[in-house]
Amino acid sequence: MSSYAALLKTPGVARLIAAQLTARFPFGMLSLAFLIHIERLFDSYGAAGLVLAAMSIGQAIAGPLTSRLMGRLGMRPVILVTMIVCAASIIVMAVVPMPVVGLMLVGFLAGLSMPPIQPAVRTIYPKVVNSRQLSPLFALDASAQEIIWVLGPVIATFVAIQVSTVAGILLAAAFLVGGSVWFLLLPEVGRVRIPRSRRKLGVVLKKPAVLLSTVVGFMLVAACAAVEAGVVAVFGHGSADSGWVLGIFAIGSLIGGLALGHAPIGPWALAARMLIVAAGLVLATFWLTFWWLAFALLLAGIGIAPAFAVLFGIVSASVKFSDTAEAYGWVGTGQLMGAAMGSAVAGFSIDHSGAVSAIFVAAGFAALGCIIAALARRHAPDLRGRDVSPIPDTEPIGVVS
């Protein structure tokens, strides 16, 4: 814990973490808020899953594109424009009556314009700490972001039930605008310039570590999205229990991230962390009571933040600095496609086979992610005792002879 305290004393680190968490706080609210809102409108979890899937697909397409644009246009212009379009789209979805197809189209636009805060901050981190601090910083960041998933579902559920689902969505939009503006005003954002990548779009995916992180991230987030839908279906949209259980799920991730943040990252590290998630989700299928789900998801959550820390670490150590934003964009795309798949499959599964089927879906995604990580372990860099900073960009230097 002393190393985390030292990290937070490093100039710029605490405010970067706080600002980006605020800007990304809607991620912990919007899925649940829209799930409850659309299910109430159309009496169908399948319809809600389709809208959430459309939003996630938009984000997935935008991930590498907006990340790459930051190397051409700068972080601030890209984040500002996308924030304005995204916030406007979310507000329209909340207040304008429209059919499911209309909600899907506007949701797709909202996802397409989601500000690339995560790739931006992942690119800035190596410039504000030394190489020895970078791996613990990724672990701290992965743990801290669980605040989003602890408080977000609880706040979204509370506001949706006590006030209205529209109020919950508008509150998420307010966090998006306020947090993005705060992030844009930070001096570190202005000081770090992402070099323009000389590679074609998508070439970075040829790096085995980037592809592995993208695929396993897909499975991990698909599992989390399916759990979210399943828990809401178990307790119903009229109960706050779903928010509390999902909050406990995130607390498990926070505990795991802080406890395992300094664990060496070897070839088996990702598979081991995914195994924890899969085991907890399998246990969750046994009984659908509040306390059993809370216990099982607390256990499953212990593997989540450590798994994300490994994903970020192996990507950072495998690509050039000019490619880091795009690489994290692709990893984010994999996660968002996972969210789309998890939400859609779980939604239709609930409609046809009941709430417990969504938990089975989640366990299946997590188990598949564990198997992929184990089979591809030879492609995961061994970071034990290694520098996890991005590879420096080099270019020919002209000399006078």
Short mmCIF file of all heavy atoms in Angstrom, two decimals, residues 192-217:
data_model
loop_
_atom_site.label_atom_id
_atom_site.label_comp_id
_atom_site.label_asym_id
_atom_site.label_seq_id
_atom_site.Cartn_x
_atom_site.Cartn_y
_atom_site.Cartn_z
N VAL A 192 1.39 16.30 -23.16
CA VAL A 192 1.72 15.05 -23.86
C VAL A 192 1.17 15.10 -25.27
O VAL A 192 -0.02 15.31 -25.49
CB VAL A 192 1.14 13.82 -23.11
CG1 VAL A 192 1.39 12.55 -23.90
CG2 VAL A 192 1.76 13.72 -21.73
N ARG A 193 2.05 14.91 -26.23
CA ARG A 193 1.66 14.89 -27.64
C ARG A 193 1.89 13.49 -28.19
O ARG A 193 2.99 12.95 -28.11
CB ARG A 193 2.51 15.90 -28.43
CG ARG A 193 2.21 15.93 -29.93
CD ARG A 193 0.87 16.62 -30.18
NE ARG A 193 0.65 16.87 -31.60
CZ ARG A 193 0.11 16.01 -32.46
NH1 ARG A 193 -0.26 14.80 -32.04
NH2 ARG A 193 -0.06 16.33 -33.72
N ILE A 194 0.84 12.88 -28.71
CA ILE A 194 0.95 11.54 -29.27
C ILE A 194 1.56 11.65 -30.66
O ILE A 194 1.00 12.33 -31.53
CB ILE A 194 -0.42 10.84 -29.36
CG1 ILE A 194 -1.08 10.77 -27.98
CG2 ILE A 194 -0.28 9.44 -29.94
CD1 ILE A 194 -2.49 10.24 -28.00
N PRO A 195 2.70 11.02 -30.92
CA PRO A 195 3.28 11.07 -32.27
C PRO A 195 2.35 10.43 -33.28
O PRO A 195 1.62 9.47 -32.97
CB PRO A 195 4.58 10.25 -32.14
CG PRO A 195 4.85 10.17 -30.67
CD PRO A 195 3.51 10.21 -30.00
N ARG A 196 2.36 10.95 -34.49
CA ARG A 196 1.53 10.36 -35.54
C ARG A 196 2.11 9.01 -35.93
O ARG A 196 3.28 8.90 -36.26
CB ARG A 196 1.48 11.29 -36.76
CG ARG A 196 0.63 10.75 -37.90
CD ARG A 196 0.54 11.72 -39.05
NE ARG A 196 -0.12 12.96 -38.68
CZ ARG A 196 -0.54 13.86 -39.57
NH1 ARG A 196 -0.36 13.64 -40.87
NH2 ARG A 196 -1.12 14.96 -39.16
N SER A 197 1.26 8.00 -35.91
CA SER A 197 1.73 6.65 -36.25
C SER A 197 2.01 6.56 -37.75
O SER A 197 1.27 7.10 -38.57
CB SER A 197 0.66 5.62 -35.86
OG SER A 197 1.07 4.34 -36.26
N ARG A 198 3.10 5.88 -38.08
CA ARG A 198 3.46 5.68 -39.49
C ARG A 198 2.86 4.40 -40.06
O ARG A 198 3.02 4.11 -41.24
CB ARG A 198 4.98 5.64 -39.63
CG ARG A 198 5.68 6.93 -39.23
CD ARG A 198 7.20 6.80 -39.37
NE ARG A 198 7.86 8.04 -38.99
CZ ARG A 198 8.21 8.36 -37.76
NH1 ARG A 198 7.94 7.52 -36.77
NH2 ARG A 198 8.82 9.50 -37.49
N ARG A 199 2.22 3.64 -39.20
CA ARG A 199 1.63 2.38 -39.65
C ARG A 199 0.20 2.59 -40.13
O ARG A 199 -0.46 3.55 -39.74
CB ARG A 199 1.63 1.36 -38.50
CG ARG A 199 3.01 1.01 -37.96
CD ARG A 199 2.87 0.20 -36.69
NE ARG A 199 4.15 -0.13 -36.09
CZ ARG A 199 4.80 -1.25 -36.32
NH1 ARG A 199 4.29 -2.17 -37.13
NH2 ARG A 199 5.97 -1.48 -35.73
N LYS A 200 -0.29 1.65 -40.96
CA LYS A 200 -1.68 1.68 -41.38
C LYS A 200 -2.58 1.28 -40.22
O LYS A 200 -2.16 0.55 -39.31
CB LYS A 200 -1.90 0.73 -42.56
CG LYS A 200 -1.21 1.18 -43.84
CD LYS A 200 -1.52 0.21 -44.98
CE LYS A 200 -0.85 0.67 -46.27
NZ LYS A 200 -1.14 -0.26 -47.40
N LEU A 201 -3.82 1.73 -40.27
CA LEU A 201 -4.78 1.39 -39.22
C LEU A 201 -4.95 -0.12 -39.12
O LEU A 201 -5.17 -0.80 -40.12
CB LEU A 201 -6.14 2.04 -39.53
CG LEU A 201 -7.26 1.77 -38.54
CD1 LEU A 201 -6.96 2.45 -37.20
CD2 LEU A 201 -8.60 2.27 -39.09
N GLY A 202 -4.82 -0.65 -37.92
CA GLY A 202 -5.04 -2.07 -37.68
C GLY A 202 -3.77 -2.91 -37.70
O GLY A 202 -3.81 -4.07 -37.24
N VAL A 203 -2.66 -2.37 -38.19
CA VAL A 203 -1.42 -3.15 -38.25
C VAL A 203 -0.96 -3.54 -36.85
O VAL A 203 -0.36 -4.61 -36.65
CB VAL A 203 -0.32 -2.35 -38.98
CG1 VAL A 203 1.04 -3.05 -38.86
CG2 VAL A 203 -0.68 -2.20 -40.45
N VAL A 204 -1.26 -2.69 -35.87
CA VAL A 204 -0.82 -2.97 -34.50
C VAL A 204 -1.44 -4.27 -33.96
O VAL A 204 -0.89 -4.89 -33.05
CB VAL A 204 -1.16 -1.77 -33.58
CG1 VAL A 204 -2.66 -1.70 -33.31
CG2 VAL A 204 -0.40 -1.85 -32.27
N LEU A 205 -2.55 -4.70 -34.55
CA LEU A 205 -3.19 -5.95 -34.13
C LEU A 205 -2.34 -7.18 -34.48
O LEU A 205 -2.60 -8.27 -33.99
CB LEU A 205 -4.57 -6.10 -34.76
CG LEU A 205 -5.71 -5.33 -34.08
CD1 LEU A 205 -6.98 -5.44 -34.90
CD2 LEU A 205 -5.95 -5.84 -32.67
N LYS A 206 -1.32 -6.99 -35.33
CA LYS A 206 -0.44 -8.10 -35.64
C LYS A 206 0.49 -8.43 -34.47
O LYS A 206 1.13 -9.48 -34.46
CB LYS A 206 0.38 -7.78 -36.89
CG LYS A 206 -0.44 -7.72 -38.17
CD LYS A 206 0.43 -7.48 -39.38
CE LYS A 206 -0.40 -7.45 -40.67
NZ LYS A 206 0.45 -7.22 -41.87
N LYS A 207 0.58 -7.50 -33.51
CA LYS A 207 1.34 -7.79 -32.30
C LYS A 207 0.55 -8.82 -31.48
O LYS A 207 -0.59 -8.57 -31.08
CB LYS A 207 1.52 -6.52 -31.47
CG LYS A 207 2.38 -5.45 -32.13
CD LYS A 207 3.86 -5.81 -32.03
CE LYS A 207 4.73 -4.68 -32.52
NZ LYS A 207 6.16 -5.00 -32.41
N PRO A 208 1.11 -10.00 -31.22
CA PRO A 208 0.37 -11.04 -30.50
C PRO A 208 -0.20 -10.58 -29.17
O PRO A 208 -1.32 -10.95 -28.80
CB PRO A 208 1.41 -12.14 -30.31
CG PRO A 208 2.40 -11.95 -31.41
CD PRO A 208 2.46 -10.46 -31.62
N ALA A 209 0.57 -9.75 -28.44
CA ALA A 209 0.09 -9.30 -27.13
C ALA A 209 -1.14 -8.42 -27.26
O ALA A 209 -2.06 -8.47 -26.43
CB ALA A 209 1.20 -8.54 -26.40
N VAL A 210 -1.19 -7.57 -28.30
CA VAL A 210 -2.35 -6.70 -28.52
C VAL A 210 -3.58 -7.53 -28.89
O VAL A 210 -4.68 -7.32 -28.38
CB VAL A 210 -2.05 -5.64 -29.60
CG1 VAL A 210 -3.29 -4.78 -29.87
CG2 VAL A 210 -0.87 -4.77 -29.19
N LEU A 211 -3.39 -8.49 -29.79
CA LEU A 211 -4.51 -9.35 -30.20
C LEU A 211 -5.01 -10.18 -29.02
O LEU A 211 -6.23 -10.32 -28.82
CB LEU A 211 -4.06 -10.25 -31.34
CG LEU A 211 -5.15 -11.15 -31.95
CD1 LEU A 211 -6.29 -10.33 -32.50
CD2 LEU A 211 -4.55 -12.03 -33.06
N LEU A 212 -4.09 -10.72 -28.24
CA LEU A 212 -4.48 -11.51 -27.07
C LEU A 212 -5.27 -10.65 -26.08
O LEU A 212 -6.32 -11.09 -25.57
CB LEU A 212 -3.24 -12.09 -26.39
CG LEU A 212 -3.46 -12.84 -25.07
CD1 LEU A 212 -4.36 -14.04 -25.27
CD2 LEU A 212 -2.12 -13.24 -24.46
N SER A 213 -4.80 -9.45 -25.81
CA SER A 213 -5.49 -8.55 -24.89
C SER A 213 -6.87 -8.18 -25.41
O SER A 213 -7.83 -8.07 -24.63
CB SER A 213 -4.66 -7.29 -24.66
OG SER A 213 -3.44 -7.59 -24.03
N THR A 214 -6.99 -7.99 -26.71
CA THR A 214 -8.28 -7.64 -27.31
C THR A 214 -9.27 -8.78 -27.17
O THR A 214 -10.44 -8.58 -26.79
CB THR A 214 -8.09 -7.28 -28.80
OG1 THR A 214 -7.17 -6.18 -28.90
CG2 THR A 214 -9.41 -6.89 -29.44
N VAL A 215 -8.84 -10.01 -27.47
CA VAL A 215 -9.74 -11.17 -27.43
C VAL A 215 -10.14 -11.51 -25.99
O VAL A 215 -11.33 -11.73 -25.69
CB VAL A 215 -9.09 -12.38 -28.11
CG1 VAL A 215 -9.94 -13.63 -27.93
CG2 VAL A 215 -8.88 -12.10 -29.59
N VAL A 216 -9.17 -11.57 -25.09
CA VAL A 216 -9.49 -11.91 -23.70
C VAL A 216 -10.30 -10.78 -23.05
O VAL A 216 -11.22 -11.06 -22.26
CB VAL A 216 -8.21 -12.19 -22.89
CG1 VAL A 216 -8.54 -12.46 -21.43
CG2 VAL A 216 -7.49 -13.41 -23.48
N GLY A 217 -10.00 -9.54 -23.40
CA GLY A 217 -10.81 -8.42 -22.90
C GLY A 217 -12.26 -8.54 -23.35
O GLY A 217 -13.19 -8.23 -22.60
#
